[in-house]
Amino acid sequence: MARYEHLPIYKQAMDVAVHFEKVVAGFSRYHKYTLGTELRNKSREIVSQIVRANAEHDKAPKLVELRGQLDELFILIRLAKEVQAFKSFSAYQFTVEQVASICRQNEGW
């Protein structure tokens, strides 16, 4: 099994997943159990996808799939912003910056 803990993309994806766990706790009840659940699940899927991609000899198909999952996460984040689920703009801004950084790392991998 390939090692993945040292990968910057893994570390950042894990940070984003932990961030969502904390941020979603501040969502209203309605958004916490609908949109918040999707955000948390998608961020965990992305971490898992990074681990799977790292274990593959030919990473390209897994990285393309990862790009699609990141796009889906961006849509969920944007939706959360539009419905004002985030308690502050800075929480939204931090999230977008971190996910964009993961996207850039995915493209460079």
Side-chain angles (χ1 to χ4, degrees):
M1 186 167 155
R3 308 250 328 147
Y4 54 84
E5 295 92 357
H6 68 285
L7 296 171
I9 190 171
Y10 170 79
K11 291 176 185 177
Q12 194 155 28
M14 184 61 78
D15 289 345
V16 168
V18 169
H19 175 72
F20 274 123
E21 293 293 332
K22 294 176 182 176
V23 168
V24 167
F27 283 12
S28 69
R29 179 180 287 172
Y30 177 79
H31 295 304
K32 185 184 299 184
Y33 297 111
T34 55
L35 190 54
T37 298
E38 289 184 57
L39 285 166
R40 291 171 50 234
N41 289 341
K42 185 58 69 178
S43 66
R44 289 190 300 253
E45 284 178 35
I46 287 169
V47 173
S48 297
Q49 185 67 22
I50 290 168
V51 172
R52 285 191 296 273
N54 188 54
E56 293 292 322
H57 180 68
D58 180 20
K59 294 175 177 30
K62 295 288 184 187
L63 294 177
V64 169
E65 188 177 331
L66 176 59
R67 181 175 36 194
Q69 289 178 337
L70 287 165
D71 287 342
E72 291 172 17
L73 182 60
F74 265 127
I75 291 167
L76 291 170
I77 293 168
R78 180 60 193 252
L79 182 60
K81 178 190 177 286
E82 292 298 321
V83 298
Q84 299 174 349
F86 287 101
K87 290 292 183 188
S88 67
F89 181 77
S90 62
Y92 164 75
Q93 183 178 14
F94 177 80
T95 304
V96 168
E97 289 170 357
Q98 294 299 307
V99 175
S101 177
I102 294 169
C103 289
R104 287 190 299 275
Q105 291 179 57
N106 180 48
E107 294 299 321
W109 193 6

